Structure formats: C-alpha cells, structure tokens
Amino acid sequence: MNYILKDENAVYHECGFSCESEIFLKFGSESYFLTDARYLTEAKEFIKNAEVVLMDRRDPFKVARALIRKSGIKSLVYNPLEWSVNEFESLNSKLLMNFKQHINFSQKKRIIKSEDELQILRKAAKLGANAFDSFAKFIQKEGLGLSEKRAFHEAQNIFKNFGELELSFEPIVALDENAAKPHALPSDKILQKDMLLLLDAGVKYKRYCSDRTRTVNISKNISMDKNSIFKDAKKQKIYDTVLRAQEASIKKAKVGVGASDIDKAGREVIEKAGYGKYFIHSTGHGVGLDIHELPVIGARSHDVIEENMVFTIEPGIYLPNEFGVRIEDTVIAKSNGVEVIG
Amino acid sequence: MNYILKDENAVYHECGFSCESEIFLKFGSESYFLTDARYLTEAKEFIKNAEVVLMDRRDPFKVARALIRKSGIKSLVYNPLEWSVNEFESLNSKLLMNFKQHINFSQKKRIIKSEDELQILRKAAKLGANAFDSFAKFIQKEGLGLSEKRAFHEAQNIFKNFGELELSFEPIVALDENAAKPHALPSDKILQKDMLLLLDAGVKYKRYCSDRTRTVNISKNISMDKNSIFKDAKKQKIYDTVLRAQEASIKKAKVGVGASDIDKAGREVIEKAGYGKYFIHSTGHGVGLDIHELPVIGARSHDVIEENMVFTIEPGIYLPNEFGVRIEDTVIAKSNGVEVIG
C-alpha cells in the first residue's frame, strides 16, 4: 500500500518522530519525511527509517507533489478525516493520481500493540494511577471548601506532576449533579463532605496515553481502589451497579470475543438494575498514541478482540440533576482474559 | 450571503453561544443552530437570534442537509479550512448545491471589532498584563535555580490565575539560546542570574484573547514595562534595536495605512542595525476570539488598517545558539494612531 499521512501520532508511529509541520509518504519500501527548515536538524537526527526532505512552508505540498509524480505510483491512500478540503485540494492540484480514501488506516495498523508499546502503556498507567492517589490525598487534606474549578486546576497540576508530564486530555472533575453531565465544565460549586466526586484523567508517557475514572465520596478516607463507600444509599446502590457492570465487562473481555459482547455483558447488569437508559455511551475505546483509538467497545461494534489490543472499560450511570457514576480502567487483551493496567 | 459554519469561534460570533458539537446555517435572514441532545438545553437558553435544532450525533449533517434542501437556496458559502474532506463529503452527499469556497470569511467579518468587543479585549489585555507582573514577582522571589520547564509550569498557573482564566495559547518561557528558537519547548535548562528570559503569553476573558511578549534580564529587579536592562552589552544592543523597531511600527500604525507599511517601518530599523536576516517572521496578526486573526501585519499583506482593528506589533531578532529578543503589544487602530492595550 502506498500512502500519505499528516496526523502527528500517525507519523510518529511510522518513524519515531513528529513535529507540527510534516508530511509522511510511503511508496512500497521507500519512506519520506517532509518538514520545514525549523525542524530539519532534529528530524535528521531522530529519524532512522525515512529520508528527510525539506518542504517549503509557503506551499507545503509542492515537494510532496513532486515526489509523488517522480515515484510513478498509480494510487495513494489517505485518511479523509486528516485533511481539510483546502489542504487536500492543494495536494491534489495538477496531480493525475488515484487517491483512495481509507478512514483511520493508521489507527487500524496500530490496533495491536507491540511489546515495547505495552511496556510504555503500563508505565503511563502506573504514573496515571499514582496521580489519582496524589489527588485523593490532596482532596482529603485541602479539598473541603474549594471550588470545582480550583479542584480541576489542582488536578491538572497533580497529573502534570508540576510540569514533568503531559495530560492525555483535560481532566474531568465533577461534583454530584455535574457528574451526571458527561461533558461538564468545572463550576464554582464548592466541595463539601459526602458529595460525590467523579475524576476522569490521564497522563502521557513517551507520547502514550493513560485513561482512568474513579467516582468517590468526599471524606477523610478516599480510596481509589474502587471500593468507594458513600453516605447516601442511592449513590451506593448506583455505584455498586456500575462496579458490577464493569466487572462483568472485564470478565467477558479476552481474545476472540466480540467487542459488542463486552459492551453487552456490562450493559445487561445496568439494564437489569433498571438503569439501562441512563448508560448513555459505549463501554470503551482503544488507547495508544491517541486517547481514542480502536477498537470500539460498543453495542454496534464489529471489532473482535485480538491479543495485545489495549482499551478502556468504562460503564456509567448518569441521573440528570442528581449525580453520575463512571468507573474506568484500561486493559490489555490476552488469551485467557485481560490485564488491568490502571 | 448564505453560509454554513462549524468553527466554534465563528459560530460564537454569530449567536453568542457555541459548544463542541454544532453547525450554524444562515439563509438570508434565517439562522439555525444545530446541536446534539447534550447541549440542547443550554443552547436554547443562551441563543437569542437563531432557531435551535436538534441534530443526530450518528449523522451530524442529516438535519443540515434537510434544512438546506427545504430552504430552496441555490448556493452556500463555506470555509474549506474548517471542513475535513470526510465531513464535507458527508454534508454534500445527495445535495445538488453550489458550494462556494470562501477562505476565513468569518474572520473577515470579524476584522473590525465592536465597542463591546473592544471593552472585552481591553479587559483581557489588562488581566494578561497583571499576570506578567505576577510572573515577574515570582521569578524575582523564587526563580533562580528552577528549570525552564518548571518556570513554564508556573507561568501556566499564574496566567490561569489558579483556574479562573483560560490561556490564549501555551505560554512560551525561553532562556538565552532557547529564546532564539521561535518554537522552543521548555527544557531542563536552569534559570540563573543575568540570563535572558523571553515570555510570550496571554489569557482569555469572555473568550477573547490577550497576547503580549516581554524579554527581560533575570535579576532581583525585573520590569515588564519594556525598559529592560541587560548585563550583557550585546543583549542590550539587540534589545534596544527591537524596541526601536517596535516603536517605529507602533508610530506608523493608524487608520488608512497599509499593514505592510507597519511591517516595513520596524523592519527597516532592524535592517539598518544589520540584523534584517534575523527578523524571521511578520510583524503581527489580528487578535480576537482566535489568537491569530486578521489583519496580517507583514511585508506581503494587502490589508489596509481600519478603525477598531485589533492586532499585535511584535518584531524580534533571533541569533541562533545565542539568544532571541521579541517585544509584543496588542493595539487598537484609531484615526490618529493606535491605543496600546497591553
């Protein structure tokens, strides 16, 4: 397959380097990494398996067009999600080329992780889990009376380890009814004893993402090990239901199982408890260089689990204007089950 | 003009609301804001001048296509930079519509700011300037011995005002030779006395951006008022040259002047001092909802300054492997000159 890539993570996966200005070309066994003068020296230093070529920032696709023409290839695969209409027209202008669309073909190539990638993902998960514990300590000590906004800010600091790590995504820090909104922005709501707190956060280690969610009761004794104890009986009931759902999905997950069956196993637990209509999203998603990769763990997914796929299992119940609960771990698929990495 | 928008700031400018899932349609005097179920309630609450319509997340362009068909319009303007090839094909499928490309037409509409926008931009600039002063105090007190990375992290905290504000962009905090790289990432380099420190940062207030750069000598007496005193004579000479260039461009800027003339005024100062080839970027850019808007203040710009355009003036000299200096303010164009807002 001959292809062209522009997405940073897709390019990084091909050649171990990326920057904010680049095009990657693959014609059979030939690989080219195109970048502008700002990044040329670094690219030449770090890229081993592709020829580094200078591009013109004023017409970033000019050199790519010339290389494509010179190669004599007849067709080229691209991801139509990666290119704006404007960029693609600029690439395509004056080229007599059969461009083939292949949505997310880089993510498809990356769906099974190598041993090296698994080691990095385990380390990312460990660093993420440590930050959950640090955040719990912070809330226990200094959390009461802070605003959700301020707690969000501290979560950023803690997950960034004061500048040493990058975030996989902006953390979600949500109290009670805000936890019922999957996309709540942090508010001025004040953290008080026995409120429910949902924390969804992750870090990047060597560019690979961690992803985890915990829902806890605010108290002097917050545990991030999923044994949350709530003062309110309804919260406890919902929490226990979500936890049983997550356990059912985790138990179901192994090599050869359909991703939709993993979703079904947890969803049935929630449906039987009478909360099916409040589980408003899929069970999980692949994790790697991108925070959302393949496979899709959902009711309509046709993905079948293979060894060393890495994905989240994160059922939730969201009761509007009351509260929401989500419990999420990232797992590695193995023949006899999954390895929960955090 | 009939048009379709998808960019959050472009949509916000039309109707005072935006979220991460939206399409805005304008057919003559009719306006539609399409969003999915997650944002419907908020959209209905905040949008006054557009009809809020529910979209289907599984096929986000279905309702848009139906509205376009129903409207009977013959042509529709879109920004080819806003749409991926995939999204545009999905919008366009089965529609017999004359789509007209108009690059950045929303930014063109927004190039002259209203009095309300100017008030917000002044306030954003003020908050940004206050954060510069806070950062100076922090460096004076606690800066020596910290890494660039840690100083970058503290800059983020200070500019975010510990969670109260958003950043216009990730701050640039760069020492000596790192300040010579316009896109330097923060390193482990340690802040020491009499090093040169470049800080380029801004905040958002009511979604509008501030943007400012200062270059200072690390000492017990850091001033953000542009009167930087360097221990090293070469640094002082380059600094004074950049400052004179900025003053020349600021003096030139007023209603009726070509943006390229503003660039030329400062560039000539730097060229005469013998550093022309080290001023490797344009003089400035518009600022508003986006951190980079119109007009372009550069040698090849055809923009002519009009009253209440808002833009930066930020000449710089970058000596590779030595150091870099940039001084930047944001200004509002008036008939007799500019109002420097920060």
Side-chain angles (χ1 to χ4, degrees):
Chain A
M1 185 167 90
N2 305 313
Y3 51 87
I4 184 163
L5 286 169
K6 218 169 58 71
D7 174 72
E8 277 206 41
N9 283 334
V11 172
Y12 178 82
H13 193 258
E14 297 284 338
C15 63
F17 181 78
S18 82
C19 54
E20 59 164 27
S21 169
E22 70 207 350
I23 296 168
F24 184 85
L25 285 166
K26 182 101 179 172
F27 309 143
S29 62
E30 286 170 55
S31 303
Y32 300 95
F33 181 93
L34 284 56
T35 189
D36 69 57
R38 294 173 298 169
Y39 302 103
L40 200 65
T41 314
E42 264 179 297
K44 284 187 172 160
E45 188 179 338
F46 290 109
I47 293 177
K48 306 291 173 215
N49 55 348
E51 188 177 331
V52 178
V53 183
L54 182 66
M55 65 157 80
D56 182 352
R57 273 179 83 188
R58 294 181 201 171
D59 182 359
F61 305 115
K62 191 176 168 180
V63 175
R65 286 195 301 266
L67 284 168
I68 291 168
R69 251 188 233 109
K70 201 179 136 202
S71 72
I73 58 163
K74 299 276 182 293
S75 75
L76 194 62
V77 168
Y78 77 107
N79 178 0
L81 288 170
E82 261 182 28
W83 296 75
S84 77
V85 171
N86 188 259
E87 289 166 334
F88 185 71
E89 286 180 357
S90 168
L91 170 69
N92 198 8
S93 70
K94 298 176 217 158
L95 274 184
L96 291 168
M97 177 56 55
N98 178 18
F99 278 101
K100 287 187 186 165
Q101 296 194 352
H102 194 147
I103 286 181
N104 289 337
F105 68 94
S106 168
Q107 286 200 346
K108 284 172 194 159
K109 282 175 71 174
R110 284 144 54 193
I111 195 167
I112 292 169
K113 271 59 181 177
S114 71
E115 285 302 329
D116 285 351
E117 289 179 299
L118 293 177
Q119 283 308 331
I120 297 172
L121 282 160
R122 284 188 189 100
K123 178 74 186 267
K126 177 90 181 113
L127 292 167
N130 290 347
F132 268 82
D133 291 338
S134 301
F135 187 74
K137 273 184 204 143
F138 165 76
I139 292 296
Q140 281 163 206
K141 259 202 202 163
E142 304 175 47
L144 293 184
L146 294 186
S147 68
E148 213 178 52
K149 237 183 223 173
R150 181 64 190 258
F152 165 74
H153 178 73
E154 294 296 337
Q156 287 185 311
N157 280 346
I158 289 167
F159 278 83
K160 284 182 181 170
N161 198 10
F162 304 97
E164 290 300 315
L165 292 171
E166 279 185 71
L167 302 174
S168 304
F169 54 92
E170 294 280 287
I172 295 171
V173 177
L175 296 168
D176 282 343
E177 64 265 35
N178 288 344
K181 302 177 195 160
H183 292 262
L185 288 178
S187 74
D188 292 321
K189 209 171 159 72
I190 300 295
L191 272 75
Q192 288 169 292
K193 195 166 177 306
D194 296 324
M195 275 182 168
L196 174 150
L197 175 74
L198 183 151
L199 173 66
D200 185 349
V203 302
K204 281 187 191 176
Y205 173 69
K206 293 190 177 176
R207 301 182 65 129
Y208 283 77
C209 297
S210 81
D211 193 4
R212 192 193 214 204
T213 306
R214 292 291 181 265
T215 307
V216 299
N217 189 75
I218 296 179
S219 70
K220 291 220 164 138
N221 205 354
I222 296 176
S223 143
M224 291 294 177
D225 60 6
K226 305 201 271 189
N227 298 322
S228 293
I229 305 292
F230 292 87
K231 199 172 179 196
D232 181 84
K234 187 171 183 185
K235 286 177 182 168
Q236 191 70 53
K237 185 187 163 197
I238 298 292
Y239 184 85
D240 292 343
T241 305
V242 174
L243 184 57
R244 280 190 293 117
Q246 202 217 15
E247 287 166 349
S249 285
I250 287 176
K251 201 176 160 195
K252 188 78 193 173
K254 64 177 172 185
V255 170
V257 166
S260 61
D261 292 325
I262 300 173
D263 182 274
K264 196 178 167 195
R267 201 168 294 276
E268 278 179 353
V269 172
I270 292 174
E271 280 168 357
K272 276 183 195 152
Y275 295 101
K277 72 170 180 165
Y278 301 107
F279 179 11
I280 52 179
H281 54 68
S282 333
T283 291
H285 56 83
V287 178
L289 290 162
D290 291 338
I291 182 66
H292 291 120
E293 293 202 354
L294 300 173
V296 174
I297 313 294
R300 288 176 297 160
S301 173
H302 297 293
D303 294 329
V304 175
I305 303 307
E306 293 181 60
E307 183 142 13
N308 297 337
M309 285 184 175
V310 176
F311 50 88
T312 66
I313 297 185
E314 49 175 311
I317 295 176
Y318 309 91
L319 303 180
N321 305 315
E322 287 190 76
F323 60 86
V325 170
R326 180 166 63 254
I327 306 172
E328 172 184 31
D329 289 293
T330 299
V331 305
I332 303 173
K334 297 290 177 188
S335 57
N336 56 344
V338 295
E339 176 190 342
V340 177
I341 61 172
Chain B
M1 185 167 91
N2 306 315
Y3 52 87
I4 183 162
L5 286 169
K6 219 169 58 71
D7 174 74
E8 277 205 42
N9 283 334
V11 171
Y12 178 82
H13 193 259
E14 296 285 336
C15 62
F17 181 79
S18 82
C19 54
E20 57 164 29
S21 168
E22 69 208 350
I23 296 167
F24 185 85
L25 286 165
K26 183 97 179 176
F27 309 142
S29 62
E30 286 171 54
S31 303
Y32 299 95
F33 180 94
L34 283 57
T35 189
D36 70 56
R38 295 171 298 169
Y39 301 103
L40 199 65
T41 313
E42 265 179 298
K44 284 187 172 163
E45 188 179 337
F46 291 108
I47 294 177
K48 304 295 175 212
N49 55 349
E51 189 178 329
V52 177
V53 182
L54 181 66
M55 65 157 76
D56 182 351
R57 274 179 83 185
R58 295 181 202 169
D59 181 358
F61 304 116
K62 190 177 169 180
V63 175
R65 287 196 301 269
L67 284 167
I68 291 168
R69 248 186 233 112
K70 201 178 137 201
S71 73
I73 58 163
K74 299 277 183 291
S75 74
L76 195 60
V77 168
Y78 77 107
N79 178 1
L81 289 169
E82 259 181 30
W83 296 75
S84 77
V85 171
N86 187 259
E87 289 166 334
F88 185 71
E89 285 180 358
S90 167
L91 171 69
N92 198 8
S93 69
K94 298 175 217 159
L95 273 185
L96 292 168
M97 176 56 57
N98 177 19
F99 278 101
K100 289 187 185 164
Q101 295 194 351
H102 194 146
I103 287 181
N104 290 337
F105 69 95
S106 168
Q107 286 200 345
K108 284 172 193 158
K109 284 176 70 173
R110 284 143 53 193
I111 195 168
I112 293 169
K113 271 59 180 177
S114 71
E115 285 303 329
D116 285 351
E117 287 179 301
L118 293 177
Q119 282 309 329
I120 296 173
L121 282 159
R122 284 189 189 99
K123 178 74 187 265
K126 178 89 183 113
L127 292 168
N130 291 347
F132 269 83
D133 292 337
S134 302
F135 187 74
K137 272 184 203 143
F138 165 76
I139 293 295
Q140 282 162 206
K141 260 201 201 163
E142 305 174 46
L144 294 182
L146 294 186
S147 69
E148 213 178 51
K149 234 183 225 174
R150 182 63 189 259
F152 165 75
H153 180 73
E154 293 297 335
Q156 287 184 312
N157 280 346
I158 288 167
F159 279 82
K160 283 182 182 172
N161 197 9
F162 304 96
E164 289 302 314
L165 293 170
E166 279 186 71
L167 303 174
S168 303
F169 54 92
E170 294 280 288
I172 294 171
V173 177
L175 295 168
D176 283 342
E177 65 266 33
N178 287 344
K181 302 176 195 160
H183 291 263
L185 288 179
S187 74
D188 291 322
K189 210 173 157 69
I190 299 296
L191 272 75
Q192 289 169 292
K193 197 168 176 305
D194 296 324
M195 275 181 167
L196 173 150
L197 174 74
L198 184 150
L199 173 67
D200 185 350
V203 303
K204 281 187 190 177
Y205 173 68
K206 293 189 177 177
R207 301 182 65 127
Y208 283 77
C209 297
S210 81
D211 194 3
R212 192 191 213 205
T213 306
R214 291 291 183 265
T215 308
V216 299
N217 188 73
I218 295 178
S219 71
K220 290 219 165 141
N221 207 353
I222 296 174
S223 142
M224 292 292 177
D225 60 6
K226 302 202 272 190
N227 298 323
S228 293
I229 306 291
F230 292 86
K231 201 174 177 192
D232 180 83
K234 187 169 183 187
K235 285 177 182 170
Q236 191 70 51
K237 185 186 162 198
I238 298 292
Y239 184 86
D240 292 343
T241 305
V242 174
L243 185 57
R244 281 190 294 118
Q246 202 217 16
E247 286 166 351
S249 284
I250 288 175
K251 201 175 160 196
K252 188 78 193 172
K254 63 178 172 184
V255 170
V257 166
S260 61
D261 293 326
I262 300 172
D263 182 273
K264 195 179 168 193
R267 200 168 295 275
E268 277 179 353
V269 172
I270 291 174
E271 280 167 358
K272 276 184 196 152
Y275 295 100
K277 72 169 179 165
Y278 300 106
F279 179 12
I280 53 179
H281 55 67
S282 333
T283 292
H285 55 84
V287 178
L289 290 163
D290 292 339
I291 183 65
H292 292 121
E293 292 201 354
L294 300 173
V296 174
I297 312 295
R300 289 176 297 163
S301 172
H302 298 293
D303 294 329
V304 174
I305 303 306
E306 293 182 60
E307 182 142 16
N308 297 337
M309 285 183 175
V310 176
F311 50 88
T312 66
I313 296 185
E314 48 174 314
I317 295 177
Y318 308 91
L319 303 179
N321 305 317
E322 288 190 74
F323 59 87
V325 171
R326 180 166 65 254
I327 306 171
E328 172 184 31
D329 289 293
T330 299
V331 306
I332 303 174
K334 298 289 178 190
S335 57
N336 54 345
V338 295
E339 175 190 342
V340 178
I341 60 171

